[in-house]
C-alpha cells in the first residue's frame, strides 16, 4: 500500500500549480452577487476595504450594485463618492436605483454629473435617465437627453428609442413620439408597443387600437399594452374582450395582463371570467407573485365571493401590507367588522406595519358596525403609534362613524378641527347623517358648505331636499325643474351583470338596452 505524502514534503516534483489568471474575479465580488440582505453586503464591504480591493473600479461598481439591490441607495451613493475614477457602470446602477427609489430628479442630476466628469454615457445610461424623465414628465430635460443621443451619433436603437417614445408620450408630446417611431425603417415591435402605451396614457384609445390592429407581429407586451390601457381608461368590457382574443391567439399572458384582466373582472362583477383566469393561473404551476395573488383576492371580494377571496389569501405563501389591506377592506365591505379586527391584530403580531390605506379599511369597518369608541381608538393609534398623518379619507371615515351613530355635533366639531380644507364628500357625509336623524339646523350648515364646493351638482340639490319645510312631491317637482332649467349635473345608478360571458350594463331609468322589452315582459309575468 502506497504511503500518503503531505504535499509540502514533496521536494522534487515536476508538478507545478498554474499561475492565477490576472482576470480572475475576486471571491468577495462573487459573494456580493449572492447576498440576500444589506447586512451581508456591509460585511463584504468591510472585507473589500481591509483588503484594498475597494479601490478597483469593478469591485466598487459591484458593491454599488449590491447596495442598490438591497434598497440602500444612500450607501451606494456613499461608495460612489469615494471612487477616484468611477466607471459608467457605477453611474448607470445608481441612476437606475434612484429612479426605482422614486427619486427621478436625483437621477437626472447624477446624469449631469456624469457628463461634467467627462464620462461617455452608454446605451444603458440613456435608457435609465430617460425613464427618470418619464416619471417626472420632464419634457425639457428629456429633449436635452435626446440631443445628447443625436450628438453621440446613435442610430435608431430599440431600447433607447423606445424609452424616448415613452418619455415623449408620458410628457404629452405625441407628435415627437411619432417622429421618433418614424426613424425606424422596419416595423419594430418594442417601439410600437411603447407608442401604443403612450396613446393609451393620453386617452387616444382609438388610435392605439388602430396601430395594434395593423401590427403584423404582436408579442405578449403588445397585448398587455392594449389590455392594461383599456383598464386604465376604465373600458373594462373592452379589456376583457381583448384578453379573450389574446388567449384565443395562443399568446401566453404576462403578469401585467393577468392583473389588468382581473381588475376588469372586479369592476364588471364578471366572476365567471375571473374564475377562468384563476384556473389558468393554477395551471401555470409557478409560484404566484404577491401582486397577482392580491389581485385575485381583490377580484373575488369585489365580485361578492368573500369566501373564495379569503381562501386565496390564506393560501398565499407571501403577503405584503397591500395584500392585508385588500382582505381587510373586503371584510369591511361585506360588513364583517369582527373579522377585520382579528386580521388586523394577526397582521401586526406577524410584524407587518399597517399603512394609511389599511387604516381606512379598519375605520370603515368600525363605521359600518357602529363601534364609535373603537374607531376613535384606532384613529388615535394611527396618529400616535404609527405616525400616520390623517388624510381626507380618514377624516371622511370618522365623520361617517360619528354621523351614523347620531353624534352630529361631534361630527361637525371634528370637521372644524381638520387641518386641511373639508371636501364635498365630507360635507355630503354629514348632510346624509342629518337627513337620517332629521337635524335640519346642522343640515343647513352642511348644505351651505356643499353648495360652495359643488354649486352645479344636481345630486346635491336632491340630497338637501329634506331641508325644505313643505317637502313631498311639491318639492320633488321643484328640484326636477331646477335641475332641468339650470342644466345641472346628475348621476344615475347602474349595475353590471354577466350572462354567458357577455357583460350587460343597466342604468336606472334607461330603456335603451336591446332586450329591455323582453326583460320587462318577464318581470311583469308576460
Amino acid at each position: 500500500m502506497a504511503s500518503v505524502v503531505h504535499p509540502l514534503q514533496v521536494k522534487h516534483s515536476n508538478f507545478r500549480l498554474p499561475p492565477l489568471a490576472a482576470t480572475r474575479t475576486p471571491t468577495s465580488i462573487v459573494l456580493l452577487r449572492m447576498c440576500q440582505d444589506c447586512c451581508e453586503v456591509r460585511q463584504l464591504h468591510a472585507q473589500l476595504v481591509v483588503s484594498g480591493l475597494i479601490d478597483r473600479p469593478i469591485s466598487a461598481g459591484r458593491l454599488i450594485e449590491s447596495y442598490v439591490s438591497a434598497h440602500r441607495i444612500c450607501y451606494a451613493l456613499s461608495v460612489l463618492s469615494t471612487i477616484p475614477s468611477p466607471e459608467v457602470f457605477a453611474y448607470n446602477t445608481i441612476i437606475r436605483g434612484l429612479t426605482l427609489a422614486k427619486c427621478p430628479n436625483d437621477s437626472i442630476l447624477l446624469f449631469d454629473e456624469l457628463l461634467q466628469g467627462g464620462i461617455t454615457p452608454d446605451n444603458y445610461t440613456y435608457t435609465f435617465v430617460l425613464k427618470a424623465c418619464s416619471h417626472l414628465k420632464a419634457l425639457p430635460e428629456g429633449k436635452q437627453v435626446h440631443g445628447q443621443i443625436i450628438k453621440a451619433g446613435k442610430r435608431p436603437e430599440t431600447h433607447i428609442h423606445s424609452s424616448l417614445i415613452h418619455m415623449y408620450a408620458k410628457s404629452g408630446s405625441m407628435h415627437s413620439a411619432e417622429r421618433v417611431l418614424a426613424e425606424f425603417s422596419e416595423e419594430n415591435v418594442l417601439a410600437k408597443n411603447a407608442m401604443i402605451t403612450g396613446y393609451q396614457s393620453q386617452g387616444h384609445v382609438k388610435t392605439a387600437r388602430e396601430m395594434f390592429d395593423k401590427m403584423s407581429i404582436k408579442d405578449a407586451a403588445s397585448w398587455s399594452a392594449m389590455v392594461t390601457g383599456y383598464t386604465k381608461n376604465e373600458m373594462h368590457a373592452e379589456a376583457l374582450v381583448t384578453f379573450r382574443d389574446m388567449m384565443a391567439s395562443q399568446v401566453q399572458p404576462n403578469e401585467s395582463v393577468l392583473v389588468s384582466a382581473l381588475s376588469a373582472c372586479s369592476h364588471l362583477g364578471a366572476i365567471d371570467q375571473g374564475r377562468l383566469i384563476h384556473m389558468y393561473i393554477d395551471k401555470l404551476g409557478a409560484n404566484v407573485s404577491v401582486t397577482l395573488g392580491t389581485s385575485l383576492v381583490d377580484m373575488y371580494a369585489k365580485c361578492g365571493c368573500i369566501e373564495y377571496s379569503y381562501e386565496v389569501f390564506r393560501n398565499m405563501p407571501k403577503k405584503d401590507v397591500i395584500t392585508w389591506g385588500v382582505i381587510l377592506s373586503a371584510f369591511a365591505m361585506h360588513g364583517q367588522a369582527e373579522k377585520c379586527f382579528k386580521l388586523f391584530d394577526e397582521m401586526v403580531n406577524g410584524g407587518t406595519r399597517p399603512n394609511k390605506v389599511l387604516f381606512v379599511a379598519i375605520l370603515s369597518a368600525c363605521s359600518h358596525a357602529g363601534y364609535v369608541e373603537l374607531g376613535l381608538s384606532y384613529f388615535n393609534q394611527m396618529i400616535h403609534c404609527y405616525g400616520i398623518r390623517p388624510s381626507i379619507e380618514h377624516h371622511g371615515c370618522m365623520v361617517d362613524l360619528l354621523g351614523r351613530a347620531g353624534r352630529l355635533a361631534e361630527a361637525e366639531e371634528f370637521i372644524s378641527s381638520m387641518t386641511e380644507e373639508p371636501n364635498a364628500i365630507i360635507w355630503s357625509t354629514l348632510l346624509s347623517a342629518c337627513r337620517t336623524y332629521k337635524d335640519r339646523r346642522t343640515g343647513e350648515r352642511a348644505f351651505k358648505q356643499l353648495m360652495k364646493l359643488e354649486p352645479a351638482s344636481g345630486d346635491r340639490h336632491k340630497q338637501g331636499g329634506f331641508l325644505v319645510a313643505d317637502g313631498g312631491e311639491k318639492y320633488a317637482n321643484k328640484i326636477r325643474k331646477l335641475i332641468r332649467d339650470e342644466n345641472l349635473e346628475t348621476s344615475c345608478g347602474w349595475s353590471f351583470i354577466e350572462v354567458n360571458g357577455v357583460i350587460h350594463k343597466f342604468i336606472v331609468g334607461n330603456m335603451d338596452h336591446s332586450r329591455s322589452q323582453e326583460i320587462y315582459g318577464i318581470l311583469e309575468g308576460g
Side-chain angles (χ1 to χ4, degrees), residues 39 92 161 206 279 318 320 368 432 475 490:
C39 183
N92 289 350
H161 284 71
K206 185 178 178 181
M279 289 171 61
K318 292 183 180 180
D320 60 13
H368 286 86
S432 294
Y475 182 72
T490 59

Side-chain angles (χ1 to χ4, degrees), residues 394-408:
H394 299 119
H395 286 114
C397 287
M398 294 306 297
V399 172
D400 186 54
L401 174 68
L402 294 166
R404 284 173 182 263
R407 294 161 66 163
L408 303 179

Side-chain angles (χ1 to χ4, degrees), residues 252-323:
Q252 184 170 327
N254 56 27
E255 183 175 297
S256 177
V257 173
L258 292 170
V259 169
S260 295
L262 287 169
S263 176
C265 292
S266 299
H267 283 85
L268 298 176
I271 184 63
D272 291 340
Q273 183 66 57
R275 283 184 179 136
L276 289 173
I277 297 172
H278 190 179
M279 289 171 61
Y280 175 81
I281 293 170
D282 285 343
K283 285 181 181 178
L284 292 177
N287 291 329
V288 177
S289 70
V290 174
T291 301
L292 196 52
T294 303
S295 296
L296 279 169
V297 172
D298 186 58
M299 182 275 296
Y300 278 123
K302 288 180 177 175
C303 289
C305 300
I306 188 65
E307 298 84 5
Y308 285 112
S309 179
Y310 188 59
E311 183 181 347
V312 173
F313 172 80
R314 278 299 175 206
N315 290 331
M316 288 177 64
K318 292 183 180 180
K319 307 174 184 71
D320 60 13
V321 69
I322 298 174
T323 314

Side-chain angles (χ1 to χ4, degrees), residues 295-487:
S295 296
L296 279 169
V297 172
D298 186 58
M299 182 275 296
Y300 278 123
K302 288 180 177 175
C303 289
C305 300
I306 188 65
E307 298 84 5
Y308 285 112
S309 179
Y310 188 59
E311 183 181 347
V312 173
F313 172 80
R314 278 299 175 206
N315 290 331
M316 288 177 64
K318 292 183 180 180
K319 307 174 184 71
D320 60 13
V321 69
I322 298 174
T323 314
W324 284 99
V326 167
I327 195 65
L328 279 166
S329 298
F331 279 111
M333 182 173 61
H334 286 78
Q336 298 189 32
E338 298 296 339
K339 191 68 176 179
C340 276
F341 307 144
K342 184 178 179 181
L343 283 170
F344 181 85
D345 291 340
E346 182 183 330
M347 179 199 69
V348 173
N349 293 335
T352 301
R353 185 181 178 87
N355 62 9
K356 59 182 181 181
V357 176
L358 202 140
F359 272 105
V360 170
I362 206 76
L363 290 173
S364 177
C366 292
S367 177
H368 286 86
Y371 295 153
V372 178
E373 301 306 324
L374 186 59
L376 290 168
S377 174
Y378 275 121
F379 186 79
N380 290 326
Q381 184 180 347
M382 176 186 74
I383 298 171
H384 301 298
C385 295
Y386 295 101
I388 298 174
R389 182 182 178 184
S391 66
I392 199 76
E393 289 81 8
H394 299 119
H395 286 114
C397 287
M398 294 306 297
V399 172
D400 186 54
L401 174 68
L402 294 166
R404 284 173 182 263
R407 294 161 66 163
L408 303 179
E410 290 179 62
E412 190 175 16
E413 184 180 349
F414 185 88
I415 294 173
S416 65
S417 69
M418 288 174 57
T419 53
E420 56 185 308
E421 195 69 26
N423 62 9
I425 296 174
I426 297 289
W427 289 113
S428 175
T429 301
L430 179 61
L431 183 59
S432 294
C434 292
R435 182 175 183 174
T436 300
Y437 289 96
K438 297 180 173 55
D439 186 340
R440 289 184 57 196
R441 183 170 297 178
T442 306
E444 284 172 357
R445 290 194 292 270
F447 184 72
K448 184 178 179 181
Q449 295 296 329
L450 201 52
M451 285 297 97
K452 288 180 181 179
L453 296 169
E454 294 185 351
S457 173
D459 293 333
R460 303 311 184 195
H461 281 282
K462 292 179 184 178
Q463 190 180 7
F466 82 98
L467 298 171
V468 178
D470 54 2
E473 187 63 27
K474 181 179 178 182
Y475 182 72
N477 291 332
K478 189 176 180 181
I479 288 292
R480 292 191 194 102
K481 186 176 186 303
L482 173 67
I483 292 171
R484 185 175 59 252
D485 293 347
E486 299 294 329
N487 195 26

Side-chain angles (χ1 to χ4, degrees), residues 28-42 44-45 48 58-73 75-76 79 89-90 93-94 96:
S28 300
I29 304 303
V30 175
L31 291 173
L32 275 172
R33 297 171 180 170
M34 301 168 63
C35 289
Q36 299 294 320
D37 55 43
C38 184
C39 183
E40 294 175 354
V41 178
R42 291 179 69 182
L44 289 170
H45 186 176
L48 289 170
I58 186 173
S59 301
R62 293 300 175 187
L63 179 60
I64 287 171
E65 183 181 41
S66 296
Y67 274 131
V68 169
S69 298
H71 308 291
R72 293 293 188 273
I73 195 70
Y75 290 158
V79 174
F89 173 80
T93 304
I94 300 189
R96 174 177 173 273

Side-chain angles (χ1 to χ4, degrees), residues 22-264:
T23 58
R24 183 186 174 194
T25 305
T27 305
S28 300
I29 304 303
V30 175
L31 291 173
L32 275 172
R33 297 171 180 170
M34 301 168 63
C35 289
Q36 299 294 320
D37 55 43
C38 184
C39 183
E40 294 175 354
V41 178
R42 291 179 69 182
Q43 289 176 15
L44 289 170
H45 186 176
Q47 289 184 25
L48 289 170
V49 172
V50 172
S51 65
L53 291 172
I54 190 68
D55 295 328
R56 293 177 57 177
I58 186 173
S59 301
R62 293 300 175 187
L63 179 60
I64 287 171
E65 183 181 41
S66 296
Y67 274 131
V68 169
S69 298
H71 308 291
R72 293 293 188 273
I73 195 70
C74 291
Y75 290 158
L77 286 166
S78 176
V79 174
L80 181 68
S81 66
T82 64
I83 305 174
S85 301
E87 293 182 339
V88 69
F89 173 80
Y91 274 101
N92 289 350
T93 304
I94 300 189
I95 289 171
R96 174 177 173 273
L98 285 166
T99 303
L100 291 174
K102 299 182 180 179
C103 302
N105 192 56
D106 292 328
S107 293
I108 296 172
L109 292 174
L110 195 60
F111 173 72
D112 185 56
E113 180 183 311
L114 176 149
L115 295 176
Q116 292 182 12
I119 300 173
T120 303
D122 60 16
N123 289 357
Y124 292 105
T125 317
Y126 293 125
T127 302
F128 297 151
V129 76
L130 283 170
K131 189 169 186 178
C133 293
S134 297
H135 279 283
L136 291 169
K137 298 181 181 179
L139 185 59
E141 289 81 0
K143 285 183 175 180
Q144 290 177 29
V145 176
H146 193 177
Q148 289 285 340
I149 294 168
I150 295 171
K151 186 178 179 181
K154 296 281 184 183
R155 294 184 178 182
E157 189 273 340
T158 298
H159 290 92
I160 292 178
H161 284 71
S162 294
S163 298
L164 275 170
I165 291 169
H166 187 66
M167 180 275 297
Y168 278 124
K170 283 291 291 287
S171 303
S173 183
M174 296 306 301
H175 178 66
S176 298
E178 289 166 348
R179 287 179 62 184
V180 174
L181 181 65
E183 293 180 16
F184 289 93
S185 56
E186 298 177 358
E187 181 170 298
N188 186 291
V189 177
L190 190 61
K192 285 202 169 184
N193 290 347
M195 198 73 224
I196 289 171
T197 301
Y199 282 132
Q200 292 276 22
S201 69
Q202 296 299 317
H204 304 321
V205 181
K206 185 178 178 181
T207 309
R209 184 75 207 197
E210 289 172 353
M211 176 170 283
F212 176 79
D213 289 338
K214 290 177 182 177
M215 290 174 67
S216 57
I217 301 173
K218 302 181 182 73
D219 60 11
S222 311
W223 290 94
S224 177
M226 286 305 302
V227 176
T228 304
Y230 276 135
T231 304
K232 288 182 178 178
N233 282 285
E234 298 187 358
M235 299 173 68
H236 305 294
E238 290 82 354
L240 277 187
V241 169
T242 305
F243 176 75
R244 291 177 193 139
D245 291 342
M246 176 184 183
M247 298 298 287
S249 300
Q250 302 296 310
V251 178
Q252 184 170 327
N254 56 27
E255 183 175 297
S256 177
V257 173
L258 292 170
V259 169
S260 295
L262 287 169
S263 176

